[in-house]
Amino acid sequence: MTKKLTFDGGWDATVTDEPLDLLPRLRAMSLIVAPYADRVEREKFLADTFGSQDWLWDLPDVFRFDPGSRRLAGVELQVPEEAAPAEDVARLPVSPAVRPGGLRADEVKPFRHEICTVLCRAPGDAVLTCLRDLGVLDEPVEARIGIAPGLALLVQHGAVVGWSLTDPVRYLTTSYRDPDPKPPAAVTRHMFSECLDLITDPEVVDDLVDGEPGAVARLRAADEALRTQAEDPHRAAALRELIAQYVEDYGDG
């Protein structure tokens, strides 16, 4: 059983029995699991905690710890912008099962943890798995530590090599608001996959950049469908934010 995790730079944390009880918030291509409700509270949160954080022109994954207890206080993770090919996704291991657990820093000092570069999309986008690189798929995953509802860290040789989010559409939101407590509508699940296709599928993105009419029409149709979606309006708004830059850059063909 994995008891110690190593992050980039040889920084270590011990696995505890206390995962975060905060709901993940999937905001565009960022996943936030933290107690703050706005930008001002976020700045205070960063000032009152230690660990890995973003700086100007630098965007690592954020893991913040309470300086008194050294326990994990919150995370911000970046979803990679490019999805892996289906043949690589098929190599993603399904075991071991997720074991709920928290983290306690071994020492109070800052560190830096690189963002993942590979996005693996399960069928129907039931799970998003983000990996350090494709080399992770060459070896078994030795542990999955569930640090928050739906969110697990992937571990190989004691090192954190990625993370996964189960039922990601459930956690869609805008700004810093909590996700809608109601289950996602079927149309929202469909549109979530459609939006991810538009912004993470390399072939679709290339067609948009090239102004290919079919791809542009598909982008416009998705934006219009989300504008007029009566069910699940908060998640629909979150999906519009997800594709907004693409609509602005490529929506005119």
Side-chain angles (χ1 to χ4, degrees):
M1 182 179 296
T2 299
K3 296 183 178 180
K4 187 86 68 177
L5 299 185
T6 299
F7 292 79
D8 290 349
W11 190 91
D12 296 324
T14 299
V15 178
T16 73
D17 294 326
E18 300 176 344
L20 294 169
D21 60 359
L22 302 167
L23 277 179
R25 290 173 279 179
L26 186 56
R27 178 190 179 197
M29 297 296 274
S30 296
L31 181 67
I32 300 171
V33 189
Y36 49 78
D38 56 38
R39 188 173 298 276
V40 173
E41 289 186 7
R42 180 182 187 272
E43 293 302 318
K44 185 177 186 305
F45 173 77
L46 293 176
D48 291 343
T49 56
F50 74 95
S52 175
Q53 75 174 86
D54 54 339
W55 300 97
L56 187 63
W57 309 118
D58 186 30
L59 192 67
D61 278 338
V62 173
F63 291 84
R64 302 300 291 179
F65 295 80
D66 176 81
S69 66
R70 291 186 279 120
R71 294 188 183 278
L72 182 66
V75 300
E76 295 179 15
L77 307 171
Q78 300 302 313
V79 180
E81 296 181 353
E82 184 172 323
E87 56 267 27
D88 287 318
V89 175
R91 296 196 292 137
L92 190 68
V94 296
S95 61
V98 174
R99 169 201 167 192
L103 300 176
R104 185 177 65 248
D106 284 7
E107 55 185 323
V108 180
K109 71 174 187 179
F111 68 102
R112 185 181 185 283
H113 192 75
E114 285 285 356
I115 62 175
C116 292
T117 64
V118 176
L119 171 63
C120 295
R121 298 170 55 188
D125 293 305
V127 182
L128 298 183
T129 302
C130 303
L131 306 176
R132 181 180 59 196
D133 53 52
L134 283 175
V136 172
L137 299 175
D138 296 335
E139 299 186 66
V141 171
E142 70 183 50
R144 299 173 190 264
I145 309 299
I147 61 171
L151 175 61
L153 300 181
L154 276 60
V155 183
Q156 280 181 340
H157 305 298
V160 176
V161 296
W163 55 273
S164 65
L165 183 65
T166 300
D167 200 11
V169 69
R170 176 179 293 274
Y171 303 109
L172 285 170
T173 189
T174 57
S175 188
Y176 294 101
R177 65 177 293 163
D178 286 336
D180 193 322
K182 296 183 297 185
V187 64
T188 306
R189 294 188 182 280
H190 169 75
M191 291 306 301
F192 180 62
S193 292
E194 175 68 0
C195 289
L196 284 184
D197 284 349
L198 288 166
I199 66 173
T200 70
D201 185 315
E203 292 185 5
V204 177
V205 172
D206 285 346
D207 285 345
L208 286 172
V209 172
D210 293 340
E212 197 280 321
V216 174
R218 184 176 172 183
L219 177 64
R220 290 174 178 168
D223 185 53
E224 180 61 24
L226 292 168
R227 286 177 185 271
T228 58
Q229 183 176 320
E231 294 182 84
D232 221 354
H234 296 307
R235 292 189 179 94
L239 289 175
R240 284 198 63 217
E241 286 190 359
L242 184 63
I243 62 172
Q245 192 62 56
Y246 280 74
V247 172
E248 180 179 340
D249 292 344
Y250 310 118
D252 290 334

Coordinates of all heavy atoms in Angstrom, one line a residue, residues 105-135:
A105 N 2.1 17.1 4.0 CA 3.4 17.5 3.5 C 4.4 17.0 4.6 O 4.2 17.1 5.8 CB 3.5 19.0 3.3
D106 N 5.6 16.5 4.1 CA 6.6 16.0 5.0 C 7.4 17.2 5.6 O 8.0 17.1 6.7 CB 7.6 15.1 4.3 CG 7.0 13.7 4.1 OD1 5.8 13.5 4.4 OD2 7.7 12.8 3.6
E107 N 7.4 18.4 4.9 CA 8.0 19.5 5.4 C 7.4 20.8 4.8 O 6.7 20.7 3.7 CB 9.5 19.5 5.1 CG 9.9 19.4 3.6 CD 11.4 19.3 3.4 OE1 12.1 19.9 4.1 OE2 11.8 18.5 2.5
V108 N 7.5 21.9 5.5 CA 6.9 23.2 5.1 C 7.9 23.9 4.2 O 8.8 24.6 4.6 CB 6.5 24.1 6.3 CG1 5.9 25.4 5.8 CG2 5.5 23.3 7.2
K109 N 7.7 23.7 2.9 CA 8.5 24.4 1.9 C 7.8 24.4 0.5 O 7.0 23.5 0.2 CB 9.9 23.8 1.8 CG 10.0 22.5 1.1 CD 11.5 22.0 0.9 CE 11.5 20.7 0.1 NZ 12.9 20.3 -0.1
P110 N 8.1 25.4 -0.3 CA 7.5 25.4 -1.6 C 8.1 24.4 -2.6 O 9.2 23.9 -2.4 CB 7.8 26.8 -2.1 CG 9.1 27.2 -1.4 CD 9.0 26.5 -0.1
F111 N 7.3 24.1 -3.6 CA 7.8 23.2 -4.6 C 7.1 23.5 -5.9 O 6.2 24.4 -6.0 CB 7.6 21.7 -4.3 CG 6.2 21.2 -4.2 CD1 5.6 20.5 -5.2 CD2 5.4 21.5 -3.1 CE1 4.3 20.1 -5.2 CE2 4.1 21.1 -3.1 CZ 3.5 20.4 -4.1
R112 N 7.4 22.9 -7.0 CA 6.8 23.1 -8.3 C 6.4 21.8 -8.9 O 7.3 20.9 -9.0 CB 7.7 23.9 -9.2 CG 7.0 24.3 -10.5 CD 8.0 25.1 -11.4 NE 7.4 25.6 -12.6 CZ 7.1 24.8 -13.7 NH1 7.4 23.5 -13.7 NH2 6.5 25.3 -14.7
H113 N 5.2 21.6 -9.4 CA 4.7 20.4 -10.0 C 4.2 20.6 -11.4 O 3.2 21.4 -11.5 CB 3.7 19.7 -9.1 CG 3.4 18.3 -9.5 ND1 4.2 17.2 -9.2 CD2 2.3 17.7 -10.2 CE1 3.7 16.1 -9.7 NE2 2.6 16.4 -10.3
E114 N 4.8 20.0 -12.4 CA 4.4 20.3 -13.8 C 3.0 19.8 -14.1 O 2.5 18.8 -13.5 CB 5.4 19.5 -14.7 CG 6.8 20.2 -14.8 CD 6.8 21.4 -15.7 OE1 5.7 21.8 -16.3 OE2 7.8 22.0 -15.8
I115 N 2.4 20.6 -15.0 CA 1.0 20.2 -15.4 C 1.1 18.9 -16.3 O 2.2 18.6 -16.9 CB 0.3 21.3 -16.2 CG1 1.1 21.7 -17.4 CG2 0.1 22.5 -15.3 CD1 0.4 22.7 -18.3
C116 N 0.0 18.2 -16.4 CA 0.0 17.1 -17.3 C -0.1 17.5 -18.8 O -0.5 18.6 -19.1 CB -1.2 16.2 -17.0 SG -1.1 15.4 -15.4
T117 N 0.4 16.6 -19.7 CA 0.5 17.0 -21.1 C -0.5 16.1 -22.0 O -0.7 16.4 -23.1 CB 1.9 16.8 -21.6 OG1 2.3 15.5 -21.6 CG2 2.9 17.7 -20.8
V118 N -1.0 15.0 -21.4 CA -1.8 14.1 -22.2 C -3.2 13.9 -21.6 O -3.3 13.7 -20.4 CB -1.1 12.7 -22.2 CG1 -2.0 11.7 -23.0 CG2 0.2 12.8 -22.9
L119 N -4.2 14.1 -22.4 CA -5.6 13.9 -21.9 C -6.2 12.6 -22.5 O -6.2 12.5 -23.8 CB -6.5 15.1 -22.4 CG -8.0 15.0 -22.2 CD1 -8.3 14.8 -20.7 CD2 -8.7 16.1 -22.8
C120 N -6.6 11.7 -21.7 CA -7.2 10.5 -22.1 C -8.7 10.5 -21.8 O -9.1 10.7 -20.6 CB -6.6 9.3 -21.4 SG -4.9 9.0 -21.8
R121 N -9.5 10.4 -22.8 CA -11.0 10.5 -22.7 C -11.6 9.1 -22.7 O -11.5 8.5 -23.8 CB -11.6 11.4 -23.8 CG -11.1 12.9 -23.7 CD -11.5 13.7 -24.9 NE -12.9 13.6 -25.1 CZ -13.5 14.1 -26.2 NH1 -12.8 14.6 -27.2 NH2 -14.9 14.1 -26.3
A122 N -12.2 8.7 -21.7 CA -12.9 7.4 -21.6 C -14.2 7.5 -22.5 O -14.7 8.6 -22.8 CB -13.3 7.1 -20.2
P123 N -14.7 6.4 -23.0 CA -16.0 6.4 -23.7 C -17.1 7.2 -23.1 O -17.3 7.1 -21.9 CB -16.4 4.9 -23.9 CG -15.0 4.2 -23.8 CD -14.2 5.0 -22.8
G124 N -17.7 8.1 -23.8 CA -18.7 9.0 -23.2 C -18.2 10.0 -22.3 O -19.0 10.7 -21.6
D125 N -16.9 10.2 -22.2 CA -16.2 11.1 -21.3 C -16.7 10.9 -19.9 O -16.8 11.8 -19.1 CB -16.5 12.5 -21.8 CG -15.7 12.9 -23.1 OD1 -14.5 12.6 -23.1 OD2 -16.4 13.3 -24.0
A126 N -16.9 9.6 -19.5 CA -17.3 9.3 -18.2 C -16.1 9.5 -17.2 O -16.3 9.8 -16.0 CB -17.7 7.8 -18.1
V127 N -14.9 9.5 -17.7 CA -13.7 9.8 -16.9 C -12.7 10.5 -17.8 O -12.5 10.1 -18.9 CB -13.0 8.5 -16.4 CG1 -11.8 8.9 -15.5 CG2 -14.0 7.6 -15.6
L128 N -12.1 11.6 -17.2 CA -11.0 12.3 -17.9 C -9.8 11.9 -17.1 O -9.7 12.1 -15.9 CB -11.2 13.8 -17.9 CG -12.4 14.3 -18.6 CD1 -12.4 15.9 -18.6 CD2 -12.5 13.8 -20.1
T129 N -8.8 11.4 -17.8 CA -7.5 11.0 -17.1 C -6.4 11.9 -17.8 O -6.2 11.9 -19.0 CB -7.2 9.5 -17.3 OG1 -8.3 8.7 -16.8 CG2 -5.9 9.2 -16.6
C130 N -5.7 12.6 -16.9 CA -4.6 13.5 -17.4 C -3.3 12.9 -16.9 O -3.1 12.6 -15.7 CB -4.8 14.9 -16.8 SG -6.5 15.5 -17.2
L131 N -2.3 12.7 -17.9 CA -1.1 12.1 -17.6 C 0.1 13.0 -17.8 O 0.0 13.9 -18.7 CB -0.9 10.8 -18.5 CG -2.0 9.8 -18.4 CD1 -1.7 8.7 -19.4 CD2 -2.2 9.2 -17.0
R132 N 1.2 12.8 -17.1 CA 2.4 13.5 -17.3 C 2.9 13.4 -18.8 O 3.3 14.4 -19.4 CB 3.5 13.0 -16.3 CG 4.8 13.7 -16.4 CD 5.8 13.1 -15.4 NE 6.0 11.7 -15.7 CZ 6.5 10.8 -14.8 NH1 6.8 11.2 -13.6 NH2 6.6 9.5 -15.2
D133 N 2.9 12.2 -19.3 CA 3.2 12.0 -20.7 C 2.8 10.6 -21.1 O 2.3 9.8 -20.2 CB 4.8 12.1 -20.9 CG 5.6 11.3 -20.0 OD1 5.3 10.1 -19.9 OD2 6.5 11.9 -19.3
L134 N 2.9 10.2 -22.3 CA 2.4 8.9 -22.8 C 3.3 7.8 -22.2 O 2.8 6.6 -22.2 CB 2.4 8.8 -24.3 CG 1.3 9.6 -25.0 CD1 1.5 9.5 -26.5 CD2 -0.1 9.0 -24.6
G135 N 4.5 8.1 -21.7 CA 5.3 7.0 -21.1 C 4.7 6.4 -19.9 O 5.0 5.2 -19.5

